[in-house]
Amino acid sequence: MQQIAFTDIDDIKVGHAQNLDAGTGCTVVICEKGATAGVDVRGGAPGTRETDLLNPVNLVEKIHAVVLAGGSAFGLDAASGVMQYLEERNIGFDVQVTKVPIVCAAVLFDLAIGDHRIRPDKEMGYRACRNATNEACAEGNVGAGAGATVGKVLGMARAMKSGLGCHAIQVGALKIGALVAVNCLGDVIDPETGERLAGLLNEDLTRLADTEAAMIQSYATKKNVFAGNTTIGIIATNAILTKSQAAKLASMAQDGYARAMRPAHSMYDGDSIFTLATGHVEADSSVLGLLSARVVERAIVSAVKKAGPLFGHKCRADLQAVRRES
């Protein structure tokens, strides 16, 4: 098993566009030849587009792009720019008079950071497509991770900056990877070491606290202290899958969220994962499932390690610098 770039997966391109002055952005994963897709949506506050058509009982067999965006529900507009870009290139589901690109999307809430009046829109989605490449995927404060934060249970003042992360591996001819924009209510844990990497800060903003402990302590409080979170991601593989298998793979990949984020799938998170299978290699679904959870874990860890500070929100590197100085 060897690590590869997410964009080394057959027929996959990734593009980002962001506005760091506003603190938002979007990421597009394009499959020009089409990919069998599935989705798994958990948590209580999702924002998605075209997820119903991924149900195995429905007509369309393949999709052509997935958009991850900030901007909450406003950010779903970025998918319109992706549709325009693909239609201009004659990519999509053939309806005789034209080809309709099948573009799924999920959004996260980043309106509380930067300028909430600026969100991913059609122009930004189009620009992300123009930036799409099969070169190594940028990480950190890029694309859908531009405005991502973690550890928000006690409000934004004690939250940390997160971002977008990727991780992919190859086993023989099989390739599988994850791309995740990490914007969870809680903390990020490295499952390999048990180390708390990012999340809720203590009162003097110099060390990490514990989101779950804070939540348990206030168990009787039903006030929604912060309802804008959500981690969104994509599993891509060159495996041959049916729509049902793709949906199951997305479901198994959610284990990676549960291992690396505490808590995961809360009522204040709309955690969602898409699967894209480009159909080149036979592979066992159970093996794909366990590998998907692993690459999701590592993508989440990478997202917080690659993130930089923004709008006064500290990143992991800032805490490490404080630790060295003390």
Side-chain angles (χ1 to χ4, degrees), residues 108-110 147-150 152 181-185 228-231 269:
L108 56 80
F109 186 98
D110 58 9
T149 50
V150 296
K152 293 166 279 190
V182 181
N183 191 58
C184 58
L185 171 76
N229 307 287
T230 299
T231 295
D269 293 285

Side-chain angles (χ1 to χ4, degrees), residues 148-152 158-163 182 184-190 194-202 207-212 260-263 300-307 314-320 323:
T149 50
V150 296
K152 293 166 279 190
R158 289 172 63 176
M160 284 183 66
K161 187 69 183 70
S162 180
V182 181
C184 58
L185 171 76
D187 307 327
V188 173
I189 310 294
D190 187 337
E195 181 185 2
R196 196 179 306 275
L197 301 177
L200 177 66
L201 292 169
N202 65 357
R207 298 184 308 280
L208 286 167
D210 185 328
T211 292
E212 290 188 327
M261 301 185 303
R262 297 182 188 171
I300 292 170
V301 168
S302 186
V304 297
K305 286 186 174 181
K306 299 290 178 62
K314 294 183 176 181
C315 64
R316 173 171 166 75
D318 293 327
L319 295 191
Q320 289 177 314
R323 194 178 305 161

